[in-house]
């Protein structure tokens, strides 16, 4: 696992070179998918990736019982311990590389490496546990990386409208907030397009 992670992170220089040279096609762009534990990051990357996604899923054991809160996700048996990685071609000249972050606090030290070279981030939110996405919101606000908030409604969860979520999370008016389903490819694509558009508005260079 360590060698795979190191190889992916070593490719960031190549991704940045593609981003800065618009005369080359296609343009390779890095996007981060973040959020709380069990919010659907791995599901999102898997649903949309055109390649077999790299996943660093590990079985949850009794050792994490006092660390990981499973009250909101009682059926969860695995967890991401490093990252998820996938790729999607949105157009002939635009390829997105997706990096899903681990959600547990003990793995947050990896975020600085994972976001390096990214143009923006999708922050996934679960309306049953909205507070879980605050660390991601605070992180991207502090580092200045453009982001959007995508509410991933789970089966059986109460449905909320965008204005209600925006108010609950105190998301600024210029940050896009949308409702999506991480299991549905078209829904994920729409979210990614919203992020790319927002990133271009914020940092057109």
């Amino acid at each position: 696992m360590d060698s795979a992670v190191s190889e992916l992170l070593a490719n960031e220089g190549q991704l940045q070179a593609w981003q800065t040279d618009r005369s080359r096609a296609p343009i390779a762009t890095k996007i981060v998918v973040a959020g709380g534990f069990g919010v659907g990051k791995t599901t999102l990357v898997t649903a949309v990736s055109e390649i077999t996604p790299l996943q660093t899923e590990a079985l949850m054991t009794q050792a994490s019982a006092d660390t990981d809160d499973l009250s909101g996700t009682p059926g969860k048996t695995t967890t991401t311990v490093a990252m998820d990685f996938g790729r999607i071609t949105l157009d002939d000249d635009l390829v997105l590389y997706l990096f899903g972050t681990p959600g547990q606090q003990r793995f947050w030290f990896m975020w600085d490496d994972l976001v390096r070279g990214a143009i923006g981030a999708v922050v996934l939110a679960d309306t049953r546990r909205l507070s879980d996405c605050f660390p991601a919101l605070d992180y991207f606000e502090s580092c200045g990386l453009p982001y959007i908030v995508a509410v991933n409604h789970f089966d059986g969860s109460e449905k909320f409208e965008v204005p209600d979520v925006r108010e609950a999370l105190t998301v600024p008016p210029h940050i896009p907030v949308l409702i999506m389903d991480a299991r549905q490819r078209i829904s994920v694509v729409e979210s990614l397009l919203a992020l790319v558009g927002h990133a271009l508005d914020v940092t057109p260079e």
Side-chain angles (χ1 to χ4, degrees), residues 24 28 30 58 78 86 113 133 153 175 181 191:
R24 301 178 65 179
K30 179 179 180 181
T78 62
D113 289 328
C133 69
H153 273 314
I175 302 296
D181 187 334
S191 300

Side-chain angles (χ1 to χ4, degrees), residues 85-101:
F85 174 77
R87 184 191 72 200
I88 176 174
T89 302
L90 289 183
D91 203 348
D92 292 339
D93 60 353
L94 180 61
V95 178
L96 302 183
Y97 289 87
L98 309 178
F99 288 74
T101 67

Side-chain angles (χ1 to χ4, degrees), residues 5-200:
V5 172
S6 299
E7 182 179 353
L8 285 173
L9 295 178
N11 288 335
E12 289 177 350
Q14 180 180 359
L15 294 180
Q16 290 173 318
W18 277 103
Q19 291 173 1
T20 55
D21 184 3
R22 293 302 181 98
S23 65
R24 301 178 65 179
I27 298 170
T29 301
K30 179 179 180 181
I31 285 177
V32 174
V33 182
F37 172 66
V39 77
K41 300 179 293 295
T42 299
T43 300
L44 183 152
V45 174
T46 301
V48 80
S49 180
E50 63 196 16
I51 62 173
T52 301
L54 169 66
Q55 298 177 346
T56 55
E57 290 279 290
L59 286 173
M60 302 185 67
T61 66
Q62 189 62 34
S64 67
D66 296 330
T67 305
D68 298 326
D69 181 8
L70 296 179
S71 58
T73 55
K76 188 171 178 60
T77 59
T78 62
T79 183
T80 299
V81 295
M83 72 170 78
D84 299 308
F85 174 77
R87 184 191 72 200
I88 176 174
T89 302
L90 289 183
D91 203 348
D92 292 339
D93 60 353
L94 180 61
V95 178
L96 302 183
Y97 289 87
L98 309 178
F99 288 74
T101 67
Q104 300 97 314
Q105 184 174 357
R106 63 183 183 277
F107 296 129
W108 288 354
F109 70 91
M110 299 183 61
W111 284 26
D112 289 341
D113 289 328
L114 290 175
V115 303
R116 189 177 297 120
I119 67 161
V122 175
V123 177
L124 281 181
D126 179 353
T127 55
R128 301 170 302 176
R129 301 173 290 130
L130 276 180
S131 60
D132 287 0
C133 69
F134 279 122
L137 295 176
D138 292 341
Y139 179 87
F140 296 121
E141 281 287 349
S142 64
C143 71
L145 189 70
Y147 68 91
I148 67 169
V149 176
V151 179
N152 184 25
H153 273 314
F154 286 77
D155 291 338
S157 64
E158 185 176 355
K159 307 297 183 183
F160 292 92
E161 300 298 327
V162 166
D164 298 325
V165 175
R166 183 183 297 278
E167 180 180 0
L169 295 176
T170 62
V171 177
H174 68 282
I175 302 296
V177 177
L178 46 90
I179 308 297
M180 56 89 71
D181 187 334
R183 300 167 300 180
Q184 301 298 323
R185 179 181 175 85
I186 186 61
S187 183
V188 175
V189 169
E190 290 173 349
S191 300
L192 296 175
L193 288 172
L195 173 62
V196 172
H198 176 60
L200 288 173

